[in-house]
């Protein structure tokens, strides 16, 4: 009788970039649904990072206490003339600083929008952790489009400078997020991010850009996108996400997509968040 092979060890994982339906017309799941699903999948932790908002964390906190999942509080913001960032709170002080940043950003812009500047990053964020979310959208006239519909826009002027600026502002507290969604050019995307990491000395970490707790919410997410753009689903075209990969994926699936060191880095970051 042959001995059965031991079951493979599942990698530890923490999702560090996840929006709920409190990110209006983008997120397609309630915070408590995201928390419950992350717990079911055996995640080490889950970060709720709604766009320039902390509105979803109360419900997420209640759900996380009920199921025993570690919750990380954060937010996602786009910097004027700069990158999109995820800010994660490590303690009560950094939570307050993120709250103050959101208040300033919302207060200086029209209702429903916000404005974050580079100067804001110099204000009281010394205990925050930062993930840079490189723009993965292709440029309209990039020659790479002749070979791939998923050409990476990392060659755009300023991206390397943004990474260097973050490395200086947040020493040992900034990473480049690698978000792979089974696109046609995932391998080239990862290679480009590795080059950016080597150039800036910012380490890489896996993340999911999660918009829904299960893939079956894709139809709802498409509907929200069409409403946000004031168009129909049929006319939304490439504005819709190309697949349903922006859900909380199993750790088996994640292990087949990401290098193991990038998954392990998510757990290391989660261990630094105690609030």
């Amino acid at each position: 009788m042959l001995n059965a092979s031991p079951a493979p060890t599942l990698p530890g994982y923490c999702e560090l970039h996840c929006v709920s339906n409190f990110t209006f017309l983008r997120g397609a799941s309630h915070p408590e649904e995201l928390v419950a699903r992350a717990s079911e999948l055996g995640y080490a932790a889950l970060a709720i990072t709604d766009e320039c908002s902390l509105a979803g964390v109360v419900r997420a906190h209640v759900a996380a206490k009920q199921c025993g999942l570690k919750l990380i509080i954060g937010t996602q913001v786009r910097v004027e003339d700069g990158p999109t960032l995820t800010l994660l709170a490590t303690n009560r002080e950094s939570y307050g600083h993120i709250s103050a940043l959101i208040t300033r950003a919302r207060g200086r812009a029209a209702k429903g929008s916000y404005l974050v500047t580079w100067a804001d990053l110099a204000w009281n964020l010394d205990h925050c952790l930062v993930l840079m979310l490189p723009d993965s959208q292709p440029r309209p006239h990039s020659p790479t489009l002749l070979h791939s519909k998923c050409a990476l826009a990392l060659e755009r002027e300023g991206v390397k400078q943004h990474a260097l600026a973050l490395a200086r502002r947040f020493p040992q507290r900034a990473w480049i997020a690698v978000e792979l969604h089974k696109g046609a050019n995932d391998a080239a995307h990862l290679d480009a991010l590795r080059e950016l990491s080597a150039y800036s000395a910012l380490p890489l970490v896996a993340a999911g850009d999660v918009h829904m707790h299960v893939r079956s919410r894709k139809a709802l997410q498409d509907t929200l996108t069409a409403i946000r753009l004031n168009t129909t689903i049929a006319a939304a075209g490439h504005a819709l996400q190309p697949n349903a990969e922006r859900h909380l994926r199993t750790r088996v699936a994640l292990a087949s997509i990401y290098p193991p060191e990038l998954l392990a880095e998510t757990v290391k970051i989660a261990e630094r968040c105690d609030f």
Side-chain angles (χ1 to χ4, degrees):
M1 181 177 178
L2 296 176
N3 292 328
S5 300
T9 302
L10 292 176
Y13 182 69
C14 167
E15 181 53 64
L16 300 172
H17 182 204
C18 175
V19 299
S20 74
N21 59 350
F22 281 87
T23 298
F24 190 52
L25 297 181
R26 279 186 55 209
S29 293
H30 296 285
E32 51 268 44
E33 291 177 318
L34 293 161
V35 168
R37 181 58 177 162
S39 178
E40 291 172 1
L41 295 173
Y43 283 17
L46 173 70
I48 297 294
T49 57
D50 284 308
E51 187 168 13
C52 202
S53 173
L54 297 173
V57 300
V58 175
R59 292 187 181 184
H61 173 67
V62 172
K65 287 187 66 176
Q66 292 174 344
C67 66
L69 178 72
K70 180 173 182 176
L71 178 68
I72 299 173
I73 296 176
T75 191
Q76 173 189 319
V77 295
R78 178 175 287 276
V79 181
E80 184 182 35
D81 297 325
T84 299
L85 306 175
T86 291
L87 305 176
L88 304 175
T90 61
N91 54 26
R92 183 179 296 274
E93 184 178 4
S94 56
Y95 168 75
H97 293 161
I98 290 174
S99 299
L101 172 64
I102 292 171
T103 300
R104 291 197 306 273
R106 291 288 184 183
R108 65 166 66 110
K111 185 176 180 180
S113 60
Y114 68 92
L115 177 61
V116 173
T117 68
W118 279 103
D120 289 319
L121 301 184
W123 280 45
N124 296 329
L125 294 174
D126 292 339
H127 298 282
C128 293
L129 306 183
V130 179
L131 272 60
M132 179 181 174
L133 309 172
D135 186 357
S136 61
Q137 297 302 314
R139 294 190 301 175
H141 304 296
S142 172
T144 315
L145 293 177
L146 296 174
H147 307 287
S148 172
K149 295 180 180 179
C150 300
L152 188 67
L154 288 177
E155 74 277 11
R156 190 178 59 191
E157 184 178 358
V159 173
K160 289 184 177 180
Q161 285 68 35
H162 296 163
L164 288 175
L166 291 174
R168 289 191 297 267
R169 172 62 187 92
F170 301 97
Q172 308 301 314
R173 292 185 290 116
W175 289 260
I176 297 170
V178 179
E179 300 186 326
L180 304 178
H181 300 108
K182 293 187 177 180
N185 213 27
D186 273 3
H189 182 35
L190 179 56
D191 287 344
L193 291 177
R194 281 173 168 156
E195 290 181 9
L196 182 62
S197 174
Y199 179 83
S200 63
L202 290 179
L204 301 179
V205 64
D209 189 21
V210 170
H211 284 59
M212 48 202 167
H213 72 297
V214 290
R215 65 169 58 247
S216 59
R217 287 288 172 90
K218 177 64 162 60
L220 174 58
Q221 212 281 321
D222 287 348
T223 302
L224 294 173
T225 300
I227 294 172
R228 175 164 50 86
L229 299 176
N230 194 28
T231 187
T232 65
I233 293 177
H238 293 298
L240 302 178
Q241 294 170 356
N243 57 35
E245 286 298 301
R246 285 173 173 80
H247 69 283
L248 291 172
R249 293 172 284 188
T250 67
R251 289 183 290 155
V252 171
L254 292 167
S256 70
I257 296 170
Y258 291 96
E261 64 272 16
L262 301 192
L263 298 176
E265 192 70 16
T266 69
V267 178
K268 294 177 183 177
I269 290 175
E271 289 172 349
R272 295 177 61 174
C273 299
D274 295 323
F275 176 71

